[in-house]
Structures are given as structure tokens and as C-alpha cells.
Amino acid sequence: MQTTRSTRTQVAIVGAGPAGLFLSHLLHRQGIESVILEHRSREEIEGTIRAGVLEQWVVDLMNDMGLGDRMMREGHFHSGITLRFDRQSHHIDMAELTGGKRVTVYAQHEVIRDLVAARLEDGGSILFGVSDVQFHDLDGKTPRVRFRRSPDGPVEELRCDFVAGCDGFHGPSRQAIPAATRTEYQIVYPFGWLGILTEAPPSHPELIYANHERGFALLSTRSPEVQRLYIQVDPKDDIANWSDDRIWSELHRRLEDESGWTLKEGPIFQKGIIAMRSFVCDPMQHGRLFIAGDAAHIVPPTGAKGLNLAVADVLVLSRAMTAYYKTGSTEGLERYSATCLRRIWKAERFSWYMTTMLHRNEHESPFEQRVHLAELDYVVHSRAAMTALAENYVGLPME
């Protein structure tokens, strides 16, 4: 493949999702240059609506980096969650259990908008709409990333010291780690989520997680005018089978309790079904390639860990790269996978725990289903169990 143009940077970042954008900002703060290559357009990445629950330390990091102004104005700050089962509601006061920590409901695409705008304002380089990304010499001292700025455009080459693969589960970065050297761990769950966005006022000040005999349901929020709700469905179901009336009927059945609380309805303007999986790639590095975020791991959304894990990965990576450029030390880079995977597996455990405890799995026996209800009953009546849930939900400390 012949190239028509060759440029140089210190870190080539593939992917302008949360991982890639946070990494570029963190490196910029340390005087380290980077270029982000993104196959989608700016409009697409900023317009793809995705939920977001930010852990306390991520909110603190955004504010410390000067990126949190809009988040602090428009985000929803939740000090607890409600667990609902057997038509009874139980509040988990996370702030009281964790010394004042809370979570912030601020959609992922809003985070991306803030990070893109700030990075471009700083003079950062983000190339949108690139295609045909290929890696070369990852084992050498000067890796190269080849790409096209458009499907019919000339091949360009970006030479760098390191490559950060932040290109999601389906991107090319993970595949660049030789199959013989990587192990992939995965669970594909036999259920999915049907999610809706509705124009309605909030029905509850915080998130409600419901275990119901008809399946899981979740009430969340997006803004004072727009709410986000989910119900457990067959991941292979056709969204055409779900009329608005049928969706609202299921939400009422699964979310309402004996207190007389009522779910507020409104026009549904978006709906879709997503599958759920847990996934981990080990190791997360090969030569001078380091993968982060969804390229390295996937969690079911029940534990609200996806974006937060991505930021944790690149915080570790930025620290390791900073040490390399300032002192020549490669210790942090060599330990990148091991450091990240300790946190990742804890988040995978918590997400699996929340998912299996709250969902109805048709492949489980009645005995197993009763155990999950017993677990919920234990959690809401044991301060130790509530504390463990709260500590994981608001975010474990960064090492």
C-alpha cells in the first residue's frame, strides 16, 4: 500500500469515544501530542444517544480538567438508588454509606460533545470520517497507522511512539493483538433491554431498579422534560412487536409498587432493543499498542460501569506515558494491562452481580430465582451489604 503523505505525532489514538477523547485531553495537559482518528463523523458521534452514569471520581476529574461546567449545570446528581422487588421499594442511601459520594446522570453523548469542543478549542487534532485503518510495526520503536480520510482518498501514514486503540468492541485494535497471545472471556446473556426515550416529567428523583416476575425494569432520567426507561426483553425480539401501549403496560406492571406511586407517561420518540454481554480481553497491550474502553472490555449496563471503566483505563495509560516521556521509565507501560485488569474484573463482577440479581433468566431453575430474591432481601436489610453495593456503584477509588 503506497502512501502519499506521512506525518508524526507522539501518540496515535484510534477512536473518538470517551476513552480516546479523555486520553487526548490527559496527554495534552502533560504536554504530550496526540492525533485522534475516528471513522464516524462528528455529527454521528455527538448525535448517537447513549445513557451515562458518572462515578464520583470521574465527575471530580472532569471538573479538575476544566471540562465539567455544562455537566454541573445540566447533570442530575443522585445520592441513592431504589431497589424494587415483591412490589416493595427500598432506598439505598449511597451518599450516607460512602462518606458523601454520589453519581451524576449525564448522557455519554453529552460528555463527548464537551470533550470534542474543548479538544478542538485547544488546537487538538481529531480526524473524523477516516477509513481503512491499518497498523504496522507495533513491535518497533516507531509504530505506523495507515488510513484514508475518505473511502476514495489517498492512503496517509501517521508515525508515532505509541498507539492507543480506543475504537470499541468492533474496531481493528483488539484484533491487532495476536490471537495466540490474547485470551477473551465472555458471557452473552439470554436477555436484552428495550429502551425508550419519552417526553415526560420525572416520575422519581432517582433511578429505580426493579426485579419483577415478568422481567427487569429500570427507570432513569435524561432531563426535566425527557426520561429514559428500560424493560427486559428477548434480545432477538423485533421492536415492531412493541407498540407504545404495550411498552407502557409492561413498565407500569414492573415498576409500580404498593405505595400508590404512579409512573408518568408521555410520547415515546425513540425505542430500540440492545443485547447484553460481559467481555474481557487479556492482555490489553501488544508491543506499543494499548487498547482501552470497549475495545478491551464490555459490561452489561446494569452496573453503570462502561464509560467509567474507559476513563479509568486511559487515566492509567496517561500516567504511564507521562512517566515515560518525563523520566524514560517503562514500568507503568509494562504493567498497564495488569493494573487495569484488577479494576476491570471488579467492575465485571459487580455488573454481573447486579444483572443476575435483578433479571429473570428463563434458563435458571426456580431455586436459583429464589436465591436472587433472597440476595435482594439481604442487601436491603444488611448495612454491610448495602455499603458494598454503594461503594461499587459510586466507584471504587483509583489507585
Side-chain angles (χ1 to χ4, degrees):
M1 180 185 293
Q2 295 183 342
T3 59
T4 60
R5 181 186 179 195
S6 180
T7 55
R8 180 78 166 81
T9 191
Q10 290 174 292
V11 181
I13 301 172
V14 184
L21 290 166
F22 266 103
L23 178 60
S24 186
H25 276 283
L26 289 164
L27 295 176
H28 175 68
R29 296 182 83 206
Q30 300 298 327
I32 301 169
E33 295 179 352
S34 66
V35 173
I36 302 177
L37 306 177
E38 170 57 51
H39 78 275
R40 296 167 296 173
S41 68
R42 179 178 180 180
E43 293 74 17
E44 187 176 356
I45 68 167
E46 293 183 348
T48 301
I49 297 177
R50 298 185 65 180
V53 176
L54 308 183
E55 296 175 352
Q56 179 71 65
W57 72 271
V58 175
V59 172
D60 295 341
L61 178 65
M62 288 186 67
N63 285 327
D64 181 59
M65 296 170 68
L67 301 170
D69 288 351
R70 193 163 72 94
M71 171 189 65
M72 298 304 291
R73 292 195 308 268
E74 300 180 10
H76 299 266
F77 306 100
H78 291 186
S79 298
I81 60 173
T82 292
L83 297 179
R84 187 165 289 174
F85 59 99
D86 287 341
R87 294 185 56 79
Q88 299 290 325
S89 295
H90 306 268
H91 184 248
I92 308 295
D93 190 336
M94 297 184 300
E96 191 273 330
L97 292 163
T98 63
K101 293 181 181 180
R102 59 185 183 177
V103 296
T104 300
V105 179
Y106 189 60
Q108 178 171 308
H109 62 279
E110 302 293 358
V111 174
I112 287 176
R113 287 174 184 170
D114 295 342
L115 296 181
V116 168
R119 194 69 197 95
L120 293 177
E121 186 176 339
D122 288 339
S125 180
I126 307 176
L127 304 183
F128 296 101
V130 307
S131 60
D132 198 19
V133 172
Q134 298 182 21
F135 304 107
H136 299 271
D137 298 330
L138 293 174
D139 290 319
K141 292 185 178 180
T142 308
R144 294 173 291 128
V145 183
R146 290 180 176 174
F147 62 96
R148 302 177 192 268
R149 296 199 187 210
S150 64
D152 299 324
V155 175
E156 300 186 35
E157 182 176 86
L158 182 61
R159 294 175 290 113
C160 55
D161 300 322
F162 302 102
V163 177
C166 307
D167 49 355
F169 183 77
H170 298 289
S173 295
R174 185 176 69 255
Q175 302 305 319
I177 301 176
T181 66
R182 74 176 191 267
T183 301
E184 297 184 351
Y185 303 88
Q186 179 170 249
I187 293 176
V188 178
Y189 296 93
F191 40 75
W193 279 11
L194 189 161
I196 67 166
L197 285 172
T198 177
E199 295 178 4
S203 296
H204 195 265
E206 296 174 336
L207 276 70
I208 299 175
Y209 289 82
N211 177 312
H212 189 273
E213 62 184 10
R214 297 180 65 87
F216 169 79
L218 171 63
L219 181 148
S220 183
T221 189
R222 176 60 51 80
S223 72
E225 300 82 23
V226 176
Q227 311 310 315
R228 186 77 162 169
L229 300 102
Y230 301 91
I231 53 174
Q232 175 186 342
V233 298
D234 184 334
K236 297 178 182 178
D237 204 345
D238 188 339
I239 192 65
N241 295 328
W242 288 87
S243 67
D244 292 2
D245 286 344
R246 184 184 178 194
I247 292 171
W248 284 117
S249 176
E250 283 299 317
L251 284 165
H252 280 284
R253 287 182 179 183
R254 301 184 194 189
L255 283 169
E256 291 182 356
D257 63 7
E258 294 181 350
S259 70
W261 174 89
T262 301
L263 177 65
K264 297 176 182 178
E265 294 188 18
I268 295 174
F269 63 90
Q270 185 189 84
K271 57 184 175 181
I273 296 173
I274 59 170
M276 297 173 64
R277 73 176 72 216
S278 295
F279 174 86
V280 178
C281 176
D282 182 359
M284 297 166 55
Q285 60 193 102
H286 169 69
R288 293 205 167 197
L289 167 69
F290 302 84
I291 63 174
D294 286 0
H297 44 76
I298 299 287
V299 289
T302 327
K305 294 296 164 214
L307 185 154
N308 300 286
L309 274 184
V311 181
D313 291 345
V314 296
L315 182 57
V316 171
L317 185 56
S318 68
R319 290 171 176 172
M321 289 181 172
T322 299
Y324 172 82
Y325 283 112
K326 290 189 174 181
T327 70
S329 172
T330 61
E331 181 179 357
L333 294 170
E334 292 166 359
R335 291 189 50 78
Y336 169 71
S337 281
T339 302
C340 289
L341 285 167
R342 285 190 64 208
R343 185 181 191 87
I344 289 163
W345 277 113
K346 291 173 185 174
E348 293 281 353
R349 181 210 69 83
F350 179 69
S351 298
W352 171 87
Y353 161 75
M354 290 285 285
T355 300
T356 55
M357 180 173 64
L358 288 163
H359 288 73
R360 292 300 175 108
N361 187 341
E362 63 181 12
H363 300 295
E364 290 184 335
S365 67
F367 179 92
E368 291 169 300
Q369 293 171 1
R370 292 300 304 180
V371 166
H372 297 319
L373 290 173
E375 179 70 21
L376 280 164
D377 189 49
Y378 173 63
V379 165
V380 301
H381 291 101
S382 165
R383 184 175 178 85
M386 280 192 288
T387 301
L389 189 153
E391 285 179 344
N392 281 273
Y393 199 94
V394 301
L396 298 175
M398 283 296 299
E399 297 179 358

